[in-house]
Amino acid sequence: MKPRSLARPALTAISALAALLTLSSLPAQAVGRLADVTIVDRDTGATLPVHYAKGEYWVAGRPGTRYAVTVHNRSGGRVLAVPSVDGVNVLSGETAAWDQRGYVFSPYERYQITGWRKSDSQVAAFEFSSIANSYANRTGRPAHVGVIGVALFREQPPVPSPSVTPEPHRERRENGNSLGGLREDLGRMLPSAPAPAAAAAPPSEAESSARSQSADSVAKAAPAPSARLGTAHGQRETSVVSHTTFTRLQDQPNEVISIRYDSRENLIASGVIREPIARPHVPRAFPQSDNFSYVPDPR
């Protein structure tokens, strides 16, 4: 009797196809072009996967855990990042706007923004919590809870003066006169997050339609959503910054990055995260013949 030569090639082809489909459906980790923005679970060190759905980017947070917003400047020049959480500027506590203070990042610098800034040396940690306990709600602004934003500005190139010779080693930082934002003190930086993957590209119209139909079927079987997440005003932590000047290239941001967040249960219930659906049992005419047998484990 000839061996079943088709068994191994068929299995290999199926495995390769499954691997390809798995890779194509994996969520990205980073969002952005001028800078990569990622959300890191500080209790585990894991970068939260980014899911693209309903025209927006989403991450799933765990209630009670601390998180950080990691900004990785991908350009060869300095950039100003104006960060907001739940519609609130994380440096000043004002309702967020583009023209407010932010953090200045050197070329290719990566840094974790870990909390609400309280002073030049302290922050109150970002912590996923209920909306009722979120900083935005406790300050009377619950309308925009559930979104993390970063507005990015390029720097206007300095215009050299022909009559003045620049000093070769002049320090560019100026303490006590913050016109552009805050510059993170490299000596007190937290450990960098792992290198992020490529930014998630929005799907085509056909893919969006297919995903929407799949999401609808999942939502029907998903459990009822739980209370939405917000960001609390956590414990005080050391985070040292210094002041610098920064002249924006333009009034409007060069890029605005927005990432929505909620609990995994809520994202599954709303169809943002699609979990595999168990296929119904299909009767087979020859069930025993359909199953190839392999060497069983010894007893």
Side-chain angles (χ1 to χ4, degrees):
M1 179 181 295
K2 294 184 179 179
R4 295 175 176 173
S5 59
L6 294 179
R8 174 174 286 186
L11 183 62
T12 302
I14 293 173
S15 300
L17 178 60
L20 178 61
L21 292 176
T22 300
L23 289 174
S24 64
S25 62
L26 285 177
Q29 290 182 315
V31 179
R33 297 181 302 275
L34 183 57
D36 285 332
V37 175
T38 55
I39 311 301
V40 176
D41 183 328
R42 295 179 61 200
D43 291 349
T44 64
T47 299
L48 301 184
V50 178
H51 305 269
Y52 186 83
K54 304 178 181 180
E56 296 183 290
Y57 296 101
W58 302 75
V59 294
R62 295 185 301 123
T65 61
R66 300 174 304 157
Y67 74 88
V69 181
T70 301
V71 179
H72 179 200
N73 181 9
R74 298 175 60 187
S75 74
R78 295 201 311 172
V79 297
L80 170 67
V82 180
S84 73
V85 170
D86 297 346
V88 179
N89 185 299
V90 306
L91 280 82
S92 65
E94 303 170 277
T95 299
W98 293 336
D99 59 352
Q100 295 168 351
R101 290 183 296 163
Y103 289 104
V104 176
F105 295 95
S106 298
Y108 308 110
E109 181 179 1
R110 179 191 285 116
Y111 190 80
Q112 290 186 346
I113 303 172
T114 57
W116 308 96
R117 181 145 298 279
K118 307 301 294 183
S119 68
D120 286 356
S121 60
Q122 279 193 333
V123 296
F126 294 142
E127 183 177 302
F128 289 124
S129 71
S130 65
I131 289 184
N133 193 43
S134 67
Y135 177 77
N137 183 69
R138 293 173 65 184
T139 55
R141 296 168 290 180
H144 302 285
V145 171
V147 61
I148 298 166
V150 179
L152 298 168
F153 294 85
R154 294 183 184 273
E155 186 172 22
Q156 181 175 317
V159 180
S161 175
S163 60
V164 178
T165 303
E167 299 179 18
H169 300 291
R170 184 175 180 178
E171 178 60 61
R172 297 181 66 184
R173 298 184 186 179
E174 299 179 12
N175 293 326
N177 184 20
S178 177
L179 300 181
L182 297 178
R183 171 69 168 84
E184 299 294 344
D185 186 341
L186 300 183
R188 302 302 297 272
M189 284 182 65
L190 298 172
S192 297
S204 65
E205 183 176 352
E207 291 173 342
S208 297
S209 176
R211 290 186 179 185
S212 177
Q213 294 175 3
S214 175
D216 291 342
S217 62
V218 174
K220 293 178 182 178
S226 58
R228 289 171 48 208
L229 286 188
T231 298
H233 184 274
Q235 293 185 348
R236 300 287 187 99
E237 299 178 351
T238 299
S239 175
V240 179
V241 295
S242 59
H243 295 256
T244 187
T245 58
F246 186 97
T247 303
R248 308 179 192 212
L249 181 63
Q250 58 190 40
D251 293 335
Q252 299 290 319
N254 294 100
E255 183 177 11
V256 176
I257 298 169
S258 178
I259 302 175
R260 300 277 301 274
Y261 69 88
D262 206 339
S263 66
R264 181 174 180 83
E265 293 77 13
N266 286 351
L267 296 187
I268 291 174
S270 63
V272 171
I273 296 179
R274 302 178 308 280
E275 291 198 325
I277 303 175
R279 294 184 179 181
H281 172 71
V282 178
R284 312 289 296 189
F286 299 94
Q288 186 62 34
S289 299
D290 289 341
N291 297 324
F292 293 136
S293 60
Y294 295 94
V295 178
D297 293 335
R299 294 183 179 181

